[in-house]
mmCIF file with all atom_site columns, all heavy atoms in Angstrom:
data_model
loop_
_atom_site.group_PDB
_atom_site.id
_atom_site.type_symbol
_atom_site.label_atom_id
_atom_site.label_alt_id
_atom_site.label_comp_id
_atom_site.label_asym_id
_atom_site.label_entity_id
_atom_site.label_seq_id
_atom_site.pdbx_PDB_ins_code
_atom_site.Cartn_x
_atom_site.Cartn_y
_atom_site.Cartn_z
_atom_site.occupancy
_atom_site.B_iso_or_equiv
_atom_site.pdbx_formal_charge
_atom_site.auth_seq_id
_atom_site.auth_comp_id
_atom_site.auth_asym_id
_atom_site.auth_atom_id
_atom_site.pdbx_PDB_model_num
ATOM 1   N N   . VAL B 1 40 ? 68.933 -5.763  25.132 1.00 97.00 ? 40 VAL B N   1
ATOM 2   C CA  . VAL B 1 40 ? 68.520 -5.471  23.705 1.00 97.00 ? 40 VAL B CA  1
ATOM 3   C C   . VAL B 1 40 ? 69.544 -4.718  22.974 1.00 97.00 ? 40 VAL B C   1
ATOM 4   O O   . VAL B 1 40 ? 69.903 -5.028  21.862 1.00 97.00 ? 40 VAL B O   1
ATOM 5   C CB  . VAL B 1 40 ? 67.196 -4.649  23.765 1.00 97.00 ? 40 VAL B CB  1
ATOM 6   C CG1 . VAL B 1 40 ? 66.743 -4.225  22.324 1.00 97.00 ? 40 VAL B CG1 1
ATOM 7   C CG2 . VAL B 1 40 ? 66.064 -5.452  24.407 1.00 97.00 ? 40 VAL B CG2 1
ATOM 8   N N   . SER B 1 41 ? 70.265 -3.819  23.678 1.00 97.00 ? 41 SER B N   1
ATOM 9   C CA  . SER B 1 41 ? 71.316 -2.983  22.973 1.00 97.00 ? 41 SER B CA  1
ATOM 10  C C   . SER B 1 41 ? 72.455 -3.817  22.594 1.00 97.00 ? 41 SER B C   1
ATOM 11  O O   . SER B 1 41 ? 73.148 -3.477  21.603 1.00 97.00 ? 41 SER B O   1
ATOM 12  C CB  . SER B 1 41 ? 71.783 -1.882  23.946 1.00 97.00 ? 41 SER B CB  1
ATOM 13  O OG  . SER B 1 41 ? 70.753 -1.009  24.225 1.00 97.00 ? 41 SER B OG  1
ATOM 14  N N   . ARG B 1 42 ? 72.793 -4.843  23.296 1.00 97.00 ? 42 ARG B N   1
ATOM 15  C CA  . ARG B 1 42 ? 73.951 -5.665  22.876 1.00 97.00 ? 42 ARG B CA  1
ATOM 16  C C   . ARG B 1 42 ? 73.625 -6.910  22.149 1.00 97.00 ? 42 ARG B C   1
ATOM 17  O O   . ARG B 1 42 ? 74.526 -7.768  21.855 1.00 97.00 ? 42 ARG B O   1
ATOM 18  C CB  . ARG B 1 42 ? 74.918 -5.934  24.000 1.00 97.00 ? 42 ARG B CB  1
ATOM 19  C CG  . ARG B 1 42 ? 74.375 -6.778  25.141 1.00 97.00 ? 42 ARG B CG  1
ATOM 20  C CD  . ARG B 1 42 ? 75.449 -6.978  26.219 1.00 97.00 ? 42 ARG B CD  1
ATOM 21  N NE  . ARG B 1 42 ? 74.917 -7.527  27.446 1.00 97.00 ? 42 ARG B NE  1
ATOM 22  C CZ  . ARG B 1 42 ? 74.568 -8.768  27.672 1.00 97.00 ? 42 ARG B CZ  1
ATOM 23  N NH1 . ARG B 1 42 ? 74.676 -9.659  26.716 1.00 97.00 ? 42 ARG B NH1 1
ATOM 24  N NH2 . ARG B 1 42 ? 74.058 -9.238  28.821 1.00 97.00 ? 42 ARG B NH2 1
ATOM 25  N N   . ALA B 1 43 ? 72.318 -7.138  21.801 1.00 98.00 ? 43 ALA B N   1
ATOM 26  C CA  . ALA B 1 43 ? 71.988 -8.341  21.084 1.00 98.00 ? 43 ALA B CA  1
ATOM 27  C C   . ALA B 1 43 ? 72.404 -8.321  19.612 1.00 98.00 ? 43 ALA B C   1
ATOM 28  O O   . ALA B 1 43 ? 72.589 -7.290  19.031 1.00 98.00 ? 43 ALA B O   1
ATOM 29  C CB  . ALA B 1 43 ? 70.350 -8.484  21.115 1.00 98.00 ? 43 ALA B CB  1
ATOM 30  N N   . ASP B 1 44 ? 72.580 -9.530  19.089 1.00 97.00 ? 44 ASP B N   1
ATOM 31  C CA  . ASP B 1 44 ? 72.900 -9.612  17.672 1.00 97.00 ? 44 ASP B CA  1
ATOM 32  C C   . ASP B 1 44 ? 71.724 -9.713  16.763 1.00 97.00 ? 44 ASP B C   1
ATOM 33  O O   . ASP B 1 44 ? 71.794 -9.629  15.559 1.00 97.00 ? 44 ASP B O   1
ATOM 34  C CB  . ASP B 1 44 ? 73.815 -10.863 17.484 1.00 97.00 ? 44 ASP B CB  1
ATOM 35  C CG  . ASP B 1 44 ? 75.048 -10.797 18.294 1.00 97.00 ? 44 ASP B CG  1
ATOM 36  O OD1 . ASP B 1 44 ? 75.892 -9.987  17.938 1.00 97.00 ? 44 ASP B OD1 1
ATOM 37  O OD2 . ASP B 1 44 ? 75.151 -11.576 19.357 1.00 97.00 ? 44 ASP B OD2 1
ATOM 38  N N   . ARG B 1 45 ? 70.545 -9.911  17.410 1.00 97.00 ? 45 ARG B N   1
ATOM 39  C CA  . ARG B 1 45 ? 69.273 -9.999  16.711 1.00 97.00 ? 45 ARG B CA  1
ATOM 40  C C   . ARG B 1 45 ? 68.225 -9.660  17.733 1.00 97.00 ? 45 ARG B C   1
ATOM 41  O O   . ARG B 1 45 ? 68.354 -10.009 18.893 1.00 97.00 ? 45 ARG B O   1
ATOM 42  C CB  . ARG B 1 45 ? 68.927 -11.449 16.312 1.00 97.00 ? 45 ARG B CB  1
ATOM 43  C CG  . ARG B 1 45 ? 69.201 -11.921 15.070 1.00 97.00 ? 45 ARG B CG  1
ATOM 44  C CD  . ARG B 1 45 ? 69.231 -13.442 14.916 1.00 97.00 ? 45 ARG B CD  1
ATOM 45  N NE  . ARG B 1 45 ? 70.545 -13.812 14.414 1.00 97.00 ? 45 ARG B NE  1
ATOM 46  C CZ  . ARG B 1 45 ? 71.446 -14.400 15.206 1.00 97.00 ? 45 ARG B CZ  1
ATOM 47  N NH1 . ARG B 1 45 ? 71.225 -14.717 16.432 1.00 97.00 ? 45 ARG B NH1 1
ATOM 48  N NH2 . ARG B 1 45 ? 72.622 -14.704 14.661 1.00 97.00 ? 45 ARG B NH2 1
ATOM 49  N N   . VAL B 1 46 ? 67.141 -8.932  17.254 1.00 98.00 ? 46 VAL B N   1
ATOM 50  C CA  . VAL B 1 46 ? 66.084 -8.540  18.148 1.00 98.00 ? 46 VAL B CA  1
ATOM 51  C C   . VAL B 1 46 ? 64.714 -9.100  17.581 1.00 98.00 ? 46 VAL B C   1
ATOM 52  O O   . VAL B 1 46 ? 64.462 -8.869  16.398 1.00 98.00 ? 46 VAL B O   1
ATOM 53  C CB  . VAL B 1 46 ? 65.989 -7.045  18.346 1.00 98.00 ? 46 VAL B CB  1
ATOM 54  C CG1 . VAL B 1 46 ? 64.817 -6.643  19.212 1.00 98.00 ? 46 VAL B CG1 1
ATOM 55  C CG2 . VAL B 1 46 ? 67.302 -6.477  18.894 1.00 98.00 ? 46 VAL B CG2 1
ATOM 56  N N   . VAL B 1 47 ? 63.996 -9.813  18.438 1.00 97.00 ? 47 VAL B N   1
ATOM 57  C CA  . VAL B 1 47 ? 62.690 -10.333 18.033 1.00 97.00 ? 47 VAL B CA  1
ATOM 58  C C   . VAL B 1 47 ? 61.637 -9.734  18.922 1.00 97.00 ? 47 VAL B C   1
ATOM 59  O O   . VAL B 1 47 ? 61.782 -9.779  20.152 1.00 97.00 ? 47 VAL B O   1
ATOM 60  C CB  . VAL B 1 47 ? 62.689 -11.874 18.051 1.00 97.00 ? 47 VAL B CB  1
ATOM 61  C CG1 . VAL B 1 47 ? 61.314 -12.381 17.736 1.00 97.00 ? 47 VAL B CG1 1
ATOM 62  C CG2 . VAL B 1 47 ? 63.748 -12.433 17.087 1.00 97.00 ? 47 VAL B CG2 1
ATOM 63  N N   . LEU B 1 48 ? 60.630 -9.215  18.306 1.00 97.00 ? 48 LEU B N   1
ATOM 64  C CA  . LEU B 1 48 ? 59.509 -8.570  18.995 1.00 97.00 ? 48 LEU B CA  1
ATOM 65  C C   . LEU B 1 48 ? 58.274 -9.418  18.742 1.00 97.00 ? 48 LEU B C   1
ATOM 66  O O   . LEU B 1 48 ? 57.673 -9.345  17.667 1.00 97.00 ? 48 LEU B O   1
ATOM 67  C CB  . LEU B 1 48 ? 59.347 -7.149  18.547 1.00 97.00 ? 48 LEU B CB  1
ATOM 68  C CG  . LEU B 1 48 ? 58.382 -6.308  19.364 1.00 97.00 ? 48 LEU B CG  1
ATOM 69  C CD1 . LEU B 1 48 ? 58.900 -6.066  20.759 1.00 97.00 ? 48 LEU B CD1 1
ATOM 70  C CD2 . LEU B 1 48 ? 58.224 -4.850  18.646 1.00 97.00 ? 48 LEU B CD2 1
ATOM 71  N N   . PRO B 1 49 ? 57.976 -10.358 19.691 1.00 93.00 ? 49 PRO B N   1
ATOM 72  C CA  . PRO B 1 49 ? 56.759 -11.172 19.435 1.00 93.00 ? 49 PRO B CA  1
ATOM 73  C C   . PRO B 1 49 ? 55.526 -10.424 19.694 1.00 93.00 ? 49 PRO B C   1
ATOM 74  O O   . PRO B 1 49 ? 55.522 -9.192  20.005 1.00 93.00 ? 49 PRO B O   1
ATOM 75  C CB  . PRO B 1 49 ? 56.958 -12.327 20.439 1.00 93.00 ? 49 PRO B CB  1
ATOM 76  C CG  . PRO B 1 49 ? 57.838 -11.762 21.522 1.00 93.00 ? 49 PRO B CG  1
ATOM 77  C CD  . PRO B 1 49 ? 58.532 -10.495 20.950 1.00 93.00 ? 49 PRO B CD  1
ATOM 78  N N   . GLY B 1 50 ? 54.345 -11.042 19.624 1.00 83.00 ? 50 GLY B N   1
ATOM 79  C CA  . GLY B 1 50 ? 53.183 -10.198 19.845 1.00 83.00 ? 50 GLY B CA  1
ATOM 80  C C   . GLY B 1 50 ? 51.894 -10.930 20.093 1.00 83.00 ? 50 GLY B C   1
ATOM 81  O O   . GLY B 1 50 ? 51.393 -11.706 19.395 1.00 83.00 ? 50 GLY B O   1
ATOM 82  N N   . VAL B 1 51 ? 51.372 -10.520 21.310 1.00 82.00 ? 51 VAL B N   1
ATOM 83  C CA  . VAL B 1 51 ? 49.922 -10.626 21.532 1.00 82.00 ? 51 VAL B CA  1
ATOM 84  C C   . VAL B 1 51 ? 49.680 -9.423  22.439 1.00 82.00 ? 51 VAL B C   1
ATOM 85  O O   . VAL B 1 51 ? 50.388 -9.042  23.175 1.00 82.00 ? 51 VAL B O   1
ATOM 86  C CB  . VAL B 1 51 ? 49.577 -11.895 22.421 1.00 82.00 ? 51 VAL B CB  1
ATOM 87  C CG1 . VAL B 1 51 ? 48.116 -11.932 22.806 1.00 82.00 ? 51 VAL B CG1 1
ATOM 88  C CG2 . VAL B 1 51 ? 49.916 -13.172 21.653 1.00 82.00 ? 51 VAL B CG2 1
ATOM 89  N N   . GLY B 1 52 ? 48.509 -8.824  22.168 1.00 84.00 ? 52 GLY B N   1
ATOM 90  C CA  . GLY B 1 52 ? 48.153 -7.584  22.949 1.00 84.00 ? 52 GLY B CA  1
ATOM 91  C C   . GLY B 1 52 ? 47.560 -6.571  22.137 1.00 84.00 ? 52 GLY B C   1
ATOM 92  O O   . GLY B 1 52 ? 47.312 -6.806  20.924 1.00 84.00 ? 52 GLY B O   1
ATOM 93  N N   . THR B 1 53 ? 47.284 -5.491  22.761 1.00 89.00 ? 53 THR B N   1
ATOM 94  C CA  . THR B 1 53 ? 46.790 -4.357  21.952 1.00 89.00 ? 53 THR B CA  1
ATOM 95  C C   . THR B 1 53 ? 47.925 -3.332  21.766 1.00 89.00 ? 53 THR B C   1
ATOM 96  O O   . THR B 1 53 ? 48.876 -3.205  22.521 1.00 89.00 ? 53 THR B O   1
ATOM 97  C CB  . THR B 1 53 ? 45.609 -3.670  22.687 1.00 89.00 ? 53 THR B CB  1
ATOM 98  O OG1 . THR B 1 53 ? 45.988 -3.353  23.980 1.00 89.00 ? 53 THR B OG1 1
ATOM 99  C CG2 . THR B 1 53 ? 44.364 -4.564  22.663 1.00 89.00 ? 53 THR B CG2 1
ATOM 100 N N   . PHE B 1 54 ? 47.795 -2.531  20.686 1.00 93.00 ? 54 PHE B N   1
ATOM 101 C CA  . PHE B 1 54 ? 48.856 -1.621  20.253 1.00 93.00 ? 54 PHE B CA  1
ATOM 102 C C   . PHE B 1 54 ? 49.186 -0.632  21.406 1.00 93.00 ? 54 PHE B C   1
ATOM 103 O O   . PHE B 1 54 ? 50.280 -0.400  21.773 1.00 93.00 ? 54 PHE B O   1
ATOM 104 C CB  . PHE B 1 54 ? 48.352 -0.851  19.001 1.00 93.00 ? 54 PHE B CB  1
ATOM 105 C CG  . PHE B 1 54 ? 49.400 -0.206  18.215 1.00 93.00 ? 54 PHE B CG  1
ATOM 106 C CD1 . PHE B 1 54 ? 49.985 -0.778  17.068 1.00 93.00 ? 54 PHE B CD1 1
ATOM 107 C CD2 . PHE B 1 54 ? 49.835 1.107   18.596 1.00 93.00 ? 54 PHE B CD2 1
ATOM 108 C CE1 . PHE B 1 54 ? 50.983 -0.166  16.402 1.00 93.00 ? 54 PHE B CE1 1
ATOM 109 C CE2 . PHE B 1 54 ? 50.808 1.779   17.889 1.00 93.00 ? 54 PHE B CE2 1
ATOM 110 C CZ  . PHE B 1 54 ? 51.357 1.097   16.785 1.00 93.00 ? 54 PHE B CZ  1
ATOM 111 N N   . GLY B 1 55 ? 48.104 -0.017  21.972 1.00 92.00 ? 55 GLY B N   1
ATOM 112 C CA  . GLY B 1 55 ? 48.363 1.038   22.973 1.00 92.00 ? 55 GLY B CA  1
ATOM 113 C C   . GLY B 1 55 ? 48.966 0.445   24.228 1.00 92.00 ? 55 GLY B C   1
ATOM 114 O O   . GLY B 1 55 ? 49.995 1.002   24.737 1.00 92.00 ? 55 GLY B O   1
ATOM 115 N N   . ALA B 1 56 ? 48.625 -0.669  24.636 1.00 89.00 ? 56 ALA B N   1
ATOM 116 C CA  . ALA B 1 56 ? 49.105 -1.343  25.902 1.00 89.00 ? 56 ALA B CA  1
ATOM 117 C C   . ALA B 1 56 ? 50.609 -1.694  25.639 1.00 89.00 ? 56 ALA B C   1
ATOM 118 O O   . ALA B 1 56 ? 51.394 -1.494  26.479 1.00 89.00 ? 56 ALA B O   1
ATOM 119 C CB  . ALA B 1 56 ? 48.290 -2.609  26.267 1.00 89.00 ? 56 ALA B CB  1
ATOM 120 N N   . ALA B 1 57 ? 50.880 -2.240  24.510 1.00 92.00 ? 57 ALA B N   1
ATOM 121 C CA  . ALA B 1 57 ? 52.259 -2.583  24.071 1.00 92.00 ? 57 ALA B CA  1
ATOM 122 C C   . ALA B 1 57 ? 53.186 -1.357  24.096 1.00 92.00 ? 57 ALA B C   1
ATOM 123 O O   . ALA B 1 57 ? 54.303 -1.421  24.717 1.00 92.00 ? 57 ALA B O   1
ATOM 124 C CB  . ALA B 1 57 ? 52.263 -3.339  22.796 1.00 92.00 ? 57 ALA B CB  1
ATOM 125 N N   . MET B 1 58 ? 52.761 -0.313  23.377 1.00 95.00 ? 58 MET B N   1
ATOM 126 C CA  . MET B 1 58 ? 53.608 0.886   23.279 1.00 95.00 ? 58 MET B CA  1
ATOM 127 C C   . MET B 1 58 ? 53.857 1.492   24.669 1.00 95.00 ? 58 MET B C   1
ATOM 128 O O   . MET B 1 58 ? 54.923 2.039   24.984 1.00 95.00 ? 58 MET B O   1
ATOM 129 C CB  . MET B 1 58 ? 52.988 1.931   22.290 1.00 95.00 ? 58 MET B CB  1
ATOM 130 C CG  . MET B 1 58 ? 53.163 1.523   20.848 1.00 95.00 ? 58 MET B CG  1
ATOM 131 S SD  . MET B 1 58 ? 54.806 1.052   20.317 1.00 95.00 ? 58 MET B SD  1
ATOM 132 C CE  . MET B 1 58 ? 55.743 2.564   20.559 1.00 95.00 ? 58 MET B CE  1
ATOM 133 N N   . ARG B 1 59 ? 52.782 1.473   25.521 1.00 93.00 ? 59 ARG B N   1
ATOM 134 C CA  . ARG B 1 59 ? 52.882 2.122   26.833 1.00 93.00 ? 59 ARG B CA  1
ATOM 135 C C   . ARG B 1 59 ? 54.041 1.274   27.611 1.00 93.00 ? 59 ARG B C   1
ATOM 136 O O   . ARG B 1 59 ? 54.894 1.938   28.134 1.00 93.00 ? 59 ARG B O   1
ATOM 137 C CB  . ARG B 1 59 ? 51.571 1.846   27.583 1.00 93.00 ? 59 ARG B CB  1
ATOM 138 C CG  . ARG B 1 59 ? 51.526 2.322   28.991 1.00 93.00 ? 59 ARG B CG  1
ATOM 139 C CD  . ARG B 1 59 ? 50.261 1.771   29.682 1.00 93.00 ? 59 ARG B CD  1
ATOM 140 N NE  . ARG B 1 59 ? 50.343 0.311   29.861 1.00 93.00 ? 59 ARG B NE  1
ATOM 141 C CZ  . ARG B 1 59 ? 49.286 -0.508  29.875 1.00 93.00 ? 59 ARG B CZ  1
ATOM 142 N NH1 . ARG B 1 59 ? 48.008 -0.021  29.732 1.00 93.00 ? 59 ARG B NH1 1
ATOM 143 N NH2 . ARG B 1 59 ? 49.469 -1.805  30.055 1.00 93.00 ? 59 ARG B NH2 1
ATOM 144 N N   . ASN B 1 60 ? 53.963 -0.061  27.576 1.00 93.00 ? 60 ASN B N   1
ATOM 145 C CA  . ASN B 1 60 ? 55.025 -0.817  28.267 1.00 93.00 ? 60 ASN B CA  1
ATOM 146 C C   . ASN B 1 60 ? 56.424 -0.646  27.659 1.00 93.00 ? 60 ASN B C   1
ATOM 147 O O   . ASN B 1 60 ? 57.364 -0.454  28.366 1.00 93.00 ? 60 ASN B O   1
ATOM 148 C CB  . ASN B 1 60 ? 54.657 -2.310  28.348 1.00 93.00 ? 60 ASN B CB  1
ATOM 149 C CG  . ASN B 1 60 ? 53.413 -2.527  29.198 1.00 93.00 ? 60 ASN B CG  1
ATOM 150 O OD1 . ASN B 1 60 ? 52.899 -1.547  29.772 1.00 93.00 ? 60 ASN B OD1 1
ATOM 151 N ND2 . ASN B 1 60 ? 53.075 -3.754  29.341 1.00 93.00 ? 60 ASN B ND2 1
ATOM 152 N N   . LEU B 1 61 ? 56.463 -0.599  26.306 1.00 95.00 ? 61 LEU B N   1
ATOM 153 C CA  . LEU B 1 61 ? 57.746 -0.438  25.660 1.00 95.00 ? 61 LEU B CA  1
ATOM 154 C C   . LEU B 1 61 ? 58.489 0.952   26.052 1.00 95.00 ? 61 LEU B C   1
ATOM 155 O O   . LEU B 1 61 ? 59.628 0.983   26.304 1.00 95.00 ? 61 LEU B O   1
ATOM 156 C CB  . LEU B 1 61 ? 57.665 -0.486  24.118 1.00 95.00 ? 61 LEU B CB  1
ATOM 157 C CG  . LEU B 1 61 ? 57.433 -1.896  23.584 1.00 95.00 ? 61 LEU B CG  1
ATOM 158 C CD1 . LEU B 1 61 ? 57.107 -1.797  22.023 1.00 95.00 ? 61 LEU B CD1 1
ATOM 159 C CD2 . LEU B 1 61 ? 58.579 -2.850  23.783 1.00 95.00 ? 61 LEU B CD2 1
ATOM 160 N N   . ARG B 1 62 ? 57.557 1.921   26.195 1.00 96.00 ? 62 ARG B N   1
ATOM 161 C CA  . ARG B 1 62 ? 58.064 3.264   26.554 1.00 96.00 ? 62 ARG B CA  1
ATOM 162 C C   . ARG B 1 62 ? 58.439 3.304   28.087 1.00 96.00 ? 62 ARG B C   1
ATOM 163 O O   . ARG B 1 62 ? 59.555 3.642   28.391 1.00 96.00 ? 62 ARG B O   1
ATOM 164 C CB  . ARG B 1 62 ? 56.944 4.354   26.286 1.00 96.00 ? 62 ARG B CB  1
ATOM 165 C CG  . ARG B 1 62 ? 57.499 5.730   26.288 1.00 96.00 ? 62 ARG B CG  1
ATOM 166 C CD  . ARG B 1 62 ? 56.501 6.733   25.719 1.00 96.00 ? 62 ARG B CD  1
ATOM 167 N NE  . ARG B 1 62 ? 56.303 6.537   24.322 1.00 96.00 ? 62 ARG B NE  1
ATOM 168 C CZ  . ARG B 1 62 ? 55.089 6.092   23.816 1.00 96.00 ? 62 ARG B CZ  1
ATOM 169 N NH1 . ARG B 1 62 ? 54.089 5.812   24.554 1.00 96.00 ? 62 ARG B NH1 1
ATOM 170 N NH2 . ARG B 1 62 ? 54.938 5.933   22.506 1.00 96.00 ? 62 ARG B NH2 1
ATOM 171 N N   . ASP B 1 63 ? 57.464 2.795   28.933 1.00 96.00 ? 63 ASP B N   1
ATOM 172 C CA  . ASP B 1 63 ? 57.762 2.817   30.407 1.00 96.00 ? 63 ASP B CA  1
ATOM 173 C C   . ASP B 1 63 ? 58.966 2.061   30.711 1.00 96.00 ? 63 ASP B C   1
ATOM 174 O O   . ASP B 1 63 ? 59.683 2.356   31.793 1.00 96.00 ? 63 ASP B O   1
ATOM 175 C CB  . ASP B 1 63 ? 56.511 2.318   31.160 1.00 96.00 ? 63 ASP B CB  1
ATOM 176 C CG  . ASP B 1 63 ? 55.327 3.259   31.039 1.00 96.00 ? 63 ASP B CG  1
ATOM 177 O OD1 . ASP B 1 63 ? 55.541 4.384   30.523 1.00 96.00 ? 63 ASP B OD1 1
ATOM 178 O OD2 . ASP B 1 63 ? 54.245 2.912   31.495 1.00 96.00 ? 63 ASP B OD2 1
ATOM 179 N N   . TRP B 1 64 ? 59.222 0.966   30.024 1.00 95.00 ? 64 TRP B N   1
ATOM 180 C CA  . TRP B 1 64 ? 60.367 0.076   30.469 1.00 95.00 ? 64 TRP B CA  1
ATOM 181 C C   . TRP B 1 64 ? 61.642 0.385   29.706 1.00 95.00 ? 64 TRP B C   1
ATOM 182 O O   . TRP B 1 64 ? 62.542 -0.341  29.621 1.00 95.00 ? 64 TRP B O   1
ATOM 183 C CB  . TRP B 1 64 ? 59.936 -1.397  30.247 1.00 95.00 ? 64 TRP B CB  1
ATOM 184 C CG  . TRP B 1 64 ? 58.759 -1.767  31.089 1.00 95.00 ? 64 TRP B CG  1
ATOM 185 C CD1 . TRP B 1 64 ? 58.106 -1.004  32.003 1.00 95.00 ? 64 TRP B CD1 1
ATOM 186 C CD2 . TRP B 1 64 ? 58.043 -2.987  31.026 1.00 95.00 ? 64 TRP B CD2 1
ATOM 187 N NE1 . TRP B 1 64 ? 57.064 -1.719  32.530 1.00 95.00 ? 64 TRP B NE1 1
ATOM 188 C CE2 . TRP B 1 64 ? 56.952 -2.926  32.000 1.00 95.00 ? 64 TRP B CE2 1
ATOM 189 C CE3 . TRP B 1 64 ? 58.170 -4.183  30.301 1.00 95.00 ? 64 TRP B CE3 1
ATOM 190 C CZ2 . TRP B 1 64 ? 56.093 -3.994  32.179 1.00 95.00 ? 64 TRP B CZ2 1
ATOM 191 C CZ3 . TRP B 1 64 ? 57.316 -5.235  30.512 1.00 95.00 ? 64 TRP B CZ3 1
ATOM 192 C CH2 . TRP B 1 64 ? 56.228 -5.102  31.353 1.00 95.00 ? 64 TRP B CH2 1
ATOM 193 N N   . HIS B 1 65 ? 61.600 1.597   29.002 1.00 95.00 ? 65 HIS B N   1
ATOM 194 C CA  . HIS B 1 65 ? 62.809 2.083   28.251 1.00 95.00 ? 65 HIS B CA  1
ATOM 195 C C   . HIS B 1 65 ? 63.238 1.075   27.124 1.00 95.00 ? 65 HIS B C   1
ATOM 196 O O   . HIS B 1 65 ? 64.449 1.083   26.752 1.00 95.00 ? 65 HIS B O   1
ATOM 197 C CB  . HIS B 1 65 ? 63.909 2.393   29.196 1.00 95.00 ? 65 HIS B CB  1
ATOM 198 C CG  . HIS B 1 65 ? 63.530 3.278   30.323 1.00 95.00 ? 65 HIS B CG  1
ATOM 199 N ND1 . HIS B 1 65 ? 63.266 4.694   30.058 1.00 95.00 ? 65 HIS B ND1 1
ATOM 200 C CD2 . HIS B 1 65 ? 63.281 3.037   31.599 1.00 95.00 ? 65 HIS B CD2 1
ATOM 201 C CE1 . HIS B 1 65 ? 62.877 5.177   31.234 1.00 95.00 ? 65 HIS B CE1 1
ATOM 202 N NE2 . HIS B 1 65 ? 62.860 4.287   32.165 1.00 95.00 ? 65 HIS B NE2 1
ATOM 203 N N   . LEU B 1 66 ? 62.296 0.259   26.638 1.00 97.00 ? 66 LEU B N   1
ATOM 204 C CA  . LEU B 1 66 ? 62.762 -0.648  25.553 1.00 97.00 ? 66 LEU B CA  1
ATOM 205 C C   . LEU B 1 66 ? 62.632 -0.087  24.222 1.00 97.00 ? 66 LEU B C   1
ATOM 206 O O   . LEU B 1 66 ? 63.268 -0.417  23.267 1.00 97.00 ? 66 LEU B O   1
ATOM 207 C CB  . LEU B 1 66 ? 61.802 -1.946  25.656 1.00 97.00 ? 66 LEU B CB  1
ATOM 208 C CG  . LEU B 1 66 ? 62.076 -2.781  26.847 1.00 97.00 ? 66 LEU B CG  1
ATOM 209 C CD1 . LEU B 1 66 ? 60.845 -3.636  27.132 1.00 97.00 ? 66 LEU B CD1 1
ATOM 210 C CD2 . LEU B 1 66 ? 63.386 -3.617  26.663 1.00 97.00 ? 66 LEU B CD2 1
ATOM 211 N N   . LEU B 1 67 ? 61.727 0.985   24.105 1.00 96.00 ? 67 LEU B N   1
ATOM 212 C CA  . LEU B 1 67 ? 61.499 1.564   22.841 1.00 96.00 ? 67 LEU B CA  1
ATOM 213 C C   . LEU B 1 67 ? 62.766 2.152   22.198 1.00 96.00 ? 67 LEU B C   1
ATOM 214 O O   . LEU B 1 67 ? 63.151 1.913   21.039 1.00 96.00 ? 67 LEU B O   1
ATOM 215 C CB  . LEU B 1 67 ? 60.507 2.728   22.996 1.00 96.00 ? 67 LEU B CB  1
ATOM 216 C CG  . LEU B 1 67 ? 59.855 3.403   21.817 1.00 96.00 ? 67 LEU B CG  1
ATOM 217 C CD1 . LEU B 1 67 ? 58.439 3.870   22.157 1.00 96.00 ? 67 LEU B CD1 1
ATOM 218 C CD2 . LEU B 1 67 ? 60.658 4.526   21.254 1.00 96.00 ? 67 LEU B CD2 1
ATOM 219 N N   . ASP B 1 68 ? 63.597 2.899   22.983 1.00 96.00 ? 68 ASP B N   1
ATOM 220 C CA  . ASP B 1 68 ? 64.767 3.522   22.421 1.00 96.00 ? 68 ASP B CA  1
ATOM 221 C C   . ASP B 1 68 ? 65.760 2.492   22.112 1.00 96.00 ? 68 ASP B C   1
ATOM 222 O O   . ASP B 1 68 ? 66.480 2.560   21.077 1.00 96.00 ? 68 ASP B O   1
ATOM 223 C CB  . ASP B 1 68 ? 65.455 4.457   23.513 1.00 96.00 ? 68 ASP B CB  1
ATOM 224 C CG  . ASP B 1 68 ? 64.604 5.674   23.712 1.00 96.00 ? 68 ASP B CG  1
ATOM 225 O OD1 . ASP B 1 68 ? 63.724 5.976   22.799 1.00 96.00 ? 68 ASP B OD1 1
ATOM 226 O OD2 . ASP B 1 68 ? 64.718 6.374   24.744 1.00 96.00 ? 68 ASP B OD2 1
#
Side-chain angles (χ1 to χ4, degrees):
Chain B
V40 174
S41 295
R42 62 177 166 79
D44 299 291
R45 259 162 243 108
V46 176
V47 176
L48 192 62
V51 171
T53 50
F54 197 98
M58 285 310 297
R59 177 194 67 208
N60 290 2
L61 286 174
R62 193 170 294 112
D63 289 354
W64 302 352
H65 308 287
L66 289 161
L67 191 150
D68 291 342

